[in-house]
Amino acid sequence: MNDFEFFGNIKNAENFIDRIKDKNFLFSFVISYTETSEIPGITFAGADKDSIKYTPPADAEYLYYGNCKTIDKIPMTPDGKPTPALLTKTALESSSIPHIVINAGSKIAPQLPFIQTGLSPGKNISVSPALTSSEVSQAVNYGRIVGRTLASLTDCLIIGESIPGGTTTALAVLKAFGYKAKVSSSIPNNPVILKNQIASMALEGLDSDNPYDIIAKVGDPMIPFVTGMLSSASEINPVMLAGGTQMTAVLAFASKIGFNEKNTAIGTTCYISDDKSANFKNLVSEIADIPAISVNPHLENSSFPGLRAFSEGFAKEGVGAGGSMIASMLKTKNDSSKFLELAEKEYHRIFTSL
Amino acid sequence: MNDFEFFGNIKNAENFIDRIKDKNFLFSFVISYTETSEIPGITFAGADKDSIKYTPPADAEYLYYGNCKTIDKIPMTPDGKPTPALLTKTALESSSIPHIVINAGSKIAPQLPFIQTGLSPGKNISVSPALTSSEVSQAVNYGRIVGRTLASLTDCLIIGESIPGGTTTALAVLKAFGYKAKVSSSIPNNPVILKNQIASMALEGLDSDNPYDIIAKVGDPMIPFVTGMLSSASEINPVMLAGGTQMTAVLAFASKIGFNEKNTAIGTTCYISDDKSANFKNLVSEIADIPAISVNPHLENSSFPGLRAFSEGFAKEGVGAGGSMIASMLKTKNDSSKFLELAEKEYHRIFTSL
C-alpha cells in the first residue's frame, strides 16, 4: 500500500481498495486498432512502422504463452525496450489472476482463443470519420454484453487495452467533450504538437455534440467498446479501468451514457500520474467523481536498463500494467521490491530465450 | 432432487451434487459444424436442409437476446417443434447462471460476442477425414486454454454443445474406440441404419489406434475441443458435461488423453437416459468411472404440444438443456413443476412474439 498513491475521490479510493483487496480479480485485455497509428511519428509501439499492427495481438499472445506467435519476438520499441505487457504478465502470473483477451477491432487476430466482437479497425481520424454510427452502437452494445458476462464471473473486473495511436484519438475525444486535455505518450519526448494537430484536423467539421457522433468522428473502436463494458459491469461489481490517457476518454464517454461511479476506479502507473507533459490527475477529477490509484513499482531500482526505461518515460503504461500490478499486490501482499524481483526474473527469461 | 436419476458411479453422483449445489455455475455453449449433417436424413435440427448450418449460431443468439439474428425465427424442426435451447434459456434465466458462447468450427458466426477459436468446420466423414492432425491438436490445445480460464472463473463449469449431425460423428468415434454404441437422435424414428452406414464408411481405411488419428478421421471439431476443455477445467473445479451421445464421445477421447474423473459428471435429460434405441447409461459406465445425472422435467404435463414433444422423443436434449436444468434446479430449489411453469411462459412468449 506504501507503493500506491490515491487521487480523484481519495476517500472512495481507500474504500474501493478495502472492498476488493481479498477478492477475486479477472483481467480483461481489449485489443484494437486505429489507422491513426500509421501517421509517421505518432507512436513507437512497435519495432518499426510495419510491425505496429502486430503489437496488440502479440501482447495478447505473450500474456498467454510467454512468447509470441504472430511475430518472432515480444513487442518492443525500435531500440529494444520491452512492452509493458512484461509488467502485466508478471503481475497476473504471480497472483494467479485469470485473464481473457477481447478483440475489439484489432487489425490482426491473435493466435489464441479470444472474445470476438466483429468490430472493424478505426479509420485515420485526420482524414476520415473514425467509425460509422452503427459501428459505435454495436461497440457499445457488444461491450455491454461482454461487461455483464465478465463482471458476473468475478468480484472485480480489470479492463486493460492495447491500441497503438490511442492517445491521439483519446486526445481528440477529450477535446471534443470540452476538456483541456494533455495526454501522455509512449516516449519521453511526447509528440504533443503533432498529436494536437491531428486532433484539430479530426475535430474540423464536427457539427454535433451528441456523444455517439463525437466518438464516430474522432474516436476509435476501443473507446465505445470499453465504455459499454464499464457501463454494464459497474452495475454488478467493482471495475478497475487499467490505463492512462485512453481510460480518461472512456470515462468521458461513459459519463455521457451512464455508469455506476461507486463501482469504478482508475488504476495506473506513477509514470502516467507523474507525467509533467500531461494532466492526468486533474483530468480524472474533472471528468468523474471516482477514485484513482497509481502504483510506483520503483523500476528505477532495476539492474536491467530495459526495466529502468519505464521510469525514464518510455511506455509508461499499457496492456493494463498499472491496474494489474495494483490487483496483484493487493492479492499477494507483495510490495514493489518483491514485484521488481519477479519482473526482473521475467525480463531475464525473455531476453535469454530470444 | 426427486426429479433426478443417478447412474454411472452413483455414490459419486450424490457427492458431486453436494459439492456444487450452493455454488456458482457458468454455462459454456460450444457451437460447431460437421458437413456430415448435409447427408440427407441424418438430422432434423433445422426447418429445412439449408437452415441446418444456422441452427447453432441461432441457438446462441436466442440464449442471449431471446430472439435470433441470423434467422428470423428460433430454430425448430420442419413441423415447428422448438429448439431445446428453450429449456436451456429458461433454466439459465430463472437461476441467473451466466453463459458464454464458444465458436469451435461453426459454419456461421453468431451475431454476438463469442469466444473465437479459429477452428474450421469438420468434413463429411463418409467421404473424407473429418479434420487434419494439426486441427485436432489445435482444437485440444485451444480447448485446454479456454477450459482453464473458464474453470477459474466459476465453481462449476457446465459445457453444452450444438453440432447438427453430431450424433453420427459421435457414433463413429465410439465405434472406433471399441464401444458397442447405440446413439440417440433428435427424432423418434432414429435413423439408426443410416447412421451406422455412415459410421462404417468413415471407419473404412482407419489404420491407426492413436486417439488423435481416430478423431481426425471420424470425429468433428467439437469433440477434441470440448475434450481439451474438460481436460484442463477438471483439474481446477467440477465440470458437468451437459449432453447425451456426443458427450460420451468426448468422454471416450478424454479417457485416452487424461482428465480428472473426480471432478467430472455428465448431466442430461431423462429423454436420453431412457431412450430405448440407445444405450447411454451403459456407455457412460463402460467409458469412465464418473457419475451421471439425468433430470425429468415432466414435459408430458405441458399444455403446449411443442413442449410435450420433447417427452415424445423429439430433440430429447441439446444446447446443454439437461445439465443446465440440473444446475438451475440446484441453485433455485425449483422442482420440475415450477420449471415447467417457467418453460411454458417462455414458450408462450416465443410463439406470440413471432
Side-chain angles (χ1 to χ4, degrees):
Chain A
M1 294 281 284
N2 288 337
D3 304 309
F4 295 169
E5 184 193 355
F6 299 153
F7 48 101
N9 186 325
I10 290 173
K11 188 154 164 276
N12 283 3
E14 286 161 10
N15 180 266
F16 191 89
I17 294 275
D18 277 345
R19 285 166 61 207
I20 65 173
K21 67 181 175 191
D22 296 315
K23 296 295 181 68
N24 292 314
F25 297 92
L26 168 59
F27 180 72
S28 57
F29 179 40
V30 179
I31 62 174
S32 189
Y33 189 78
T34 165
E35 290 173 358
T36 311
S37 66
E38 296 165 13
I39 298 169
I42 210 79
T43 182
F44 283 74
D48 55 54
K49 186 176 163 293
D50 292 334
S51 64
I52 288 169
K53 61 179 175 293
Y54 294 106
T55 295
D59 275 336
E61 290 160 3
Y62 164 64
L63 286 186
Y64 264 94
Y65 301 116
N67 60 311
C68 301
K69 306 270 179 182
T70 58
I71 56 176
D72 287 341
K73 299 179 181 175
I74 69 161
M76 48 184 77
T77 60
D79 62 346
K81 296 182 177 68
T83 168
L86 188 155
L87 304 175
T88 310
K89 184 171 177 60
T90 303
L92 300 178
E93 286 215 337
S94 59
S95 55
S96 299
I97 292 176
H99 58 103
I100 195 154
V101 174
I102 304 163
N103 182 350
S106 175
K107 198 162 181 177
I108 309 285
Q111 292 182 32
L112 48 75
F114 60 88
I115 295 183
Q116 176 63 297
T117 63
L119 296 171
S120 299
K123 296 280 194 303
N124 178 345
I125 60 169
S126 70
V127 295
S128 159
L131 306 162
T132 65
S133 294
S134 71
E135 284 174 331
V136 177
S137 299
Q138 193 193 333
V140 172
N141 290 340
Y142 276 28
R144 279 195 219 266
I145 291 176
V146 172
R148 192 179 309 123
T149 301
L150 298 186
S152 66
L153 297 173
T154 186
D155 301 317
C156 177
L157 180 64
I158 310 166
I159 311 177
E161 52 68 39
S162 176
I163 174 167
T167 56
T168 302
T169 43
L171 175 67
V173 165
L174 289 164
K175 280 173 174 271
F177 283 127
Y179 298 104
K180 293 211 180 87
K182 294 191 288 179
V183 301
S184 288
S185 163
S186 55
I187 40 176
N189 290 322
N190 193 345
V192 174
I193 296 172
L194 177 60
K195 286 183 180 181
N196 276 299
Q197 279 173 345
I198 304 295
S200 298
M201 288 165 77
L203 291 165
E204 269 172 33
L206 175 65
D207 52 5
S208 166
D209 57 3
N210 177 302
Y212 283 80
D213 292 343
I214 288 174
I215 299 298
K217 183 78 169 60
V218 307
D220 60 49
M222 184 282 291
I223 294 172
F225 184 82
V226 173
T227 300
M229 285 181 73
L230 171 64
S231 163
S232 60
S234 64
E235 295 300 330
I236 299 171
N237 265 320
V239 178
M240 192 189 297
L241 295 173
T245 298
Q246 281 110 315
M247 288 305 180
T248 59
V250 167
L251 210 53
F253 185 38
S255 298
K256 304 293 181 184
I257 72 168
F259 73 108
N260 184 355
E261 290 188 335
K262 293 195 179 64
N263 265 343
T264 304
I266 284 197
T268 191
T269 64
C270 64
Y271 311 125
I272 290 292
S273 57
D274 295 345
D275 182 0
K276 299 280 183 271
S277 75
N279 58 345
F280 183 73
K281 289 182 181 179
N282 287 345
L283 255 181
V284 172
S285 300
E286 271 184 58
I287 298 170
D289 185 28
I290 65 159
I293 305 149
S294 80
V295 58
N296 186 349
H298 291 291
L299 299 177
E300 71 276 12
N301 296 335
S302 177
S303 53
F304 294 111
L307 286 176
R308 284 201 304 274
F310 289 105
S311 68
E312 291 154 4
F314 294 92
K316 295 189 184 72
E317 168 65 287
V319 193
S324 56
M325 285 190 283
I326 292 167
S328 178
M329 289 178 175
L330 287 172
K331 191 169 172 191
T332 59
K333 321 288 182 205
N334 284 344
D335 62 9
S336 64
S337 66
K338 178 67 189 169
F339 180 82
L340 176 56
E341 190 187 315
L342 298 169
E344 290 193 320
K345 264 191 197 157
E346 175 61 10
Y347 186 92
H348 185 257
R349 185 192 70 79
I350 289 169
F351 284 93
T352 50
S353 70
L354 284 179
Chain B
M1 294 281 285
N2 288 337
D3 304 310
F4 295 169
E5 184 193 355
F6 298 153
F7 48 99
N9 186 325
I10 290 174
K11 188 153 163 278
N12 284 2
E14 286 161 11
N15 180 266
F16 190 88
I17 294 275
D18 277 345
R19 286 166 60 208
I20 65 172
K21 66 182 176 190
D22 295 315
K23 296 296 180 70
N24 291 314
F25 297 92
L26 168 59
F27 180 73
S28 57
F29 179 40
V30 179
I31 61 174
S32 189
Y33 189 78
T34 166
E35 290 173 358
T36 311
S37 66
E38 296 165 13
I39 298 169
I42 210 80
T43 181
F44 282 75
D48 55 54
K49 185 176 164 293
D50 292 333
S51 65
I52 287 169
K53 61 179 173 293
Y54 294 106
T55 295
D59 275 336
E61 291 160 2
Y62 164 64
L63 286 187
Y64 264 94
Y65 301 116
N67 59 310
C68 301
K69 305 270 179 183
T70 59
I71 56 176
D72 288 341
K73 300 179 181 176
I74 69 162
M76 49 184 77
T77 59
D79 61 346
K81 296 182 177 69
T83 167
L86 188 154
L87 304 175
T88 310
K89 185 171 177 59
T90 303
L92 299 179
E93 286 216 337
S94 59
S95 55
S96 298
I97 292 176
H99 58 103
I100 195 155
V101 173
I102 303 162
N103 181 349
S106 175
K107 198 162 182 176
I108 309 285
Q111 292 182 32
L112 47 75
F114 60 88
I115 295 182
Q116 176 63 297
T117 64
L119 297 171
S120 300
K123 297 279 194 303
N124 178 345
I125 61 169
S126 69
V127 294
S128 160
L131 306 162
T132 66
S133 294
S134 71
E135 284 174 331
V136 176
S137 299
Q138 194 193 333
V140 171
N141 291 339
Y142 276 28
R144 279 195 219 267
I145 292 176
V146 173
R148 192 179 309 122
T149 302
L150 298 187
S152 66
L153 297 173
T154 187
D155 301 316
C156 177
L157 180 64
I158 310 167
I159 310 176
E161 52 67 39
S162 175
I163 174 167
T167 55
T168 302
T169 43
L171 175 67
V173 165
L174 289 164
K175 280 174 175 271
F177 282 127
Y179 298 105
K180 293 210 180 90
K182 293 190 288 179
V183 300
S184 288
S185 163
S186 55
I187 40 175
N189 290 322
N190 193 345
V192 174
I193 295 173
L194 177 60
K195 286 183 179 181
N196 276 299
Q197 279 173 345
I198 304 295
S200 298
M201 288 165 78
L203 291 165
E204 269 171 34
L206 174 66
D207 52 7
S208 165
D209 57 3
N210 177 302
Y212 283 80
D213 292 343
I214 288 173
I215 299 299
K217 183 77 169 59
V218 307
D220 60 50
M222 184 283 291
I223 293 172
F225 184 82
V226 173
T227 300
M229 285 181 73
L230 171 64
S231 162
S232 60
S234 65
E235 295 300 329
I236 300 171
N237 265 320
V239 178
M240 192 190 296
L241 295 174
T245 298
Q246 281 109 315
M247 288 304 180
T248 58
V250 166
L251 210 54
F253 185 38
S255 298
K256 304 293 180 183
I257 72 168
F259 73 108
N260 184 354
E261 289 188 336
K262 293 195 178 63
N263 265 342
T264 305
I266 284 197
T268 192
T269 64
C270 64
Y271 311 125
I272 290 293
S273 56
D274 295 345
D275 182 0
K276 299 279 184 272
S277 75
N279 58 345
F280 183 74
K281 290 182 181 180
N282 286 345
L283 255 181
V284 172
S285 300
E286 271 183 59
I287 298 171
D289 185 29
I290 65 160
I293 305 150
S294 79
V295 57
N296 186 349
H298 291 292
L299 299 177
E300 71 275 12
N301 296 335
S302 177
S303 53
F304 294 111
L307 286 176
R308 284 201 305 274
F310 289 105
S311 68
E312 291 154 3
F314 294 92
K316 295 189 185 71
E317 168 64 287
V319 194
S324 56
M325 286 190 283
I326 291 166
S328 178
M329 289 178 175
L330 287 172
K331 191 169 172 191
T332 60
K333 321 287 182 206
N334 284 344
D335 62 9
S336 63
S337 66
K338 178 67 189 170
F339 180 82
L340 176 56
E341 191 188 315
L342 297 168
E344 289 193 320
K345 265 192 196 157
E346 175 61 10
Y347 186 92
H348 185 256
R349 186 192 69 79
I350 290 170
F351 284 94
T352 50
S353 70
L354 284 180

